Amino acid sequence: MALIPEAEVATVFRRLADAMPGRTLDAKGPKGQPDAFRSCISCMLSAQSLDRNTAAAARALFALAATPEAMLRRDDAAIADAIRPCGLYNMKTRNIRAFCAALLDRHSGTVPDTRAGLMALPGIGRKCADIVLSFTFGRAVIAVDTHVHRVCNRIGLTDAKTADRTAAELEERAPDWAMQDGHFWLIQFGKRICRARSPLCERCPVVNHCLWYEASRAH
Ligand code: SF4
């Protein structure tokens, strides 16, 4: 694909903002987790897992241990057993233990509130870091999940193969005023209109700017 002109980027965000709900007051931690530690762990659990399975795994895990110290007192088998519903449980168990050990070692158990600090911790990539920054710390960051990635690259807001690259390009191209709520507009737009299969282009508020639509009409 390609990129839409710089001058159209703000218009696209304005139209999405008008058409979609933004951040709500009750938007908190990934999957509704109440603190930064649980948000990080939940994000790790969510890799390649359905929301309901992630939620079940998180519930079982935090009933077992809700702090890094308590987590490290549990053995691998107990952690793996608790998080079994979300799949990849052996790898996720190793990541959780490494994350807890590093958090205690480097930050005395307190989750850092910077992207660099978060991403330096085992098991935390850009997506998790941005989700925690946005939801838990309330920062003006557009976290990029599969919906946001798809929508941005269809329209031509970004031209990126990976979600991490999309996040970096959005940070450069999105207007400052769109950073606080942009994630929420884009994700709702991706779920309601620009769906993965059969997007509803005839109802789309940015159809006049969309490169994907333009290309599909040319064929
Ligand atoms: S025109 Fe279609 S493909 Fe383009 S952003 Fe709108 S819904 Fe998505």
Side-chain angles (χ1 to χ4, degrees), residues 148-213:
V148 176
H149 176 61
R150 177 182 70 253
V151 165
C152 288
N153 288 285
R154 274 185 180 164
I155 298 171
L157 287 170
T158 56
D159 181 14
K161 290 215 162 37
T162 65
D164 285 2
R165 191 62 220 144
T166 294
E169 289 189 14
L170 273 180
E171 198 159 40
E172 281 173 24
R173 301 195 88 214
D176 288 349
W177 55 262
M179 297 304 288
Q180 185 71 20
D181 280 19
H183 167 85
F184 299 87
W185 302 325
L186 288 161
I187 201 167
Q188 289 303 322
F189 179 64
K191 287 181 177 177
R192 299 177 188 194
I193 307 276
C194 193
R195 306 181 305 202
R197 283 186 217 144
S198 44
L200 304 174
C201 302
E202 69 285 357
R203 286 174 43 195
C204 177
V206 298
V207 66
N208 294 336
H209 301 275
C210 177
L211 296 183
W212 193 88
Y213 182 75

Side-chain angles (χ1 to χ4, degrees), residues 49-57 59 85:
S49 168
L50 296 173
D51 280 357
R52 65 171 180 278
N53 295 337
T54 303
R59 253 194 323 275

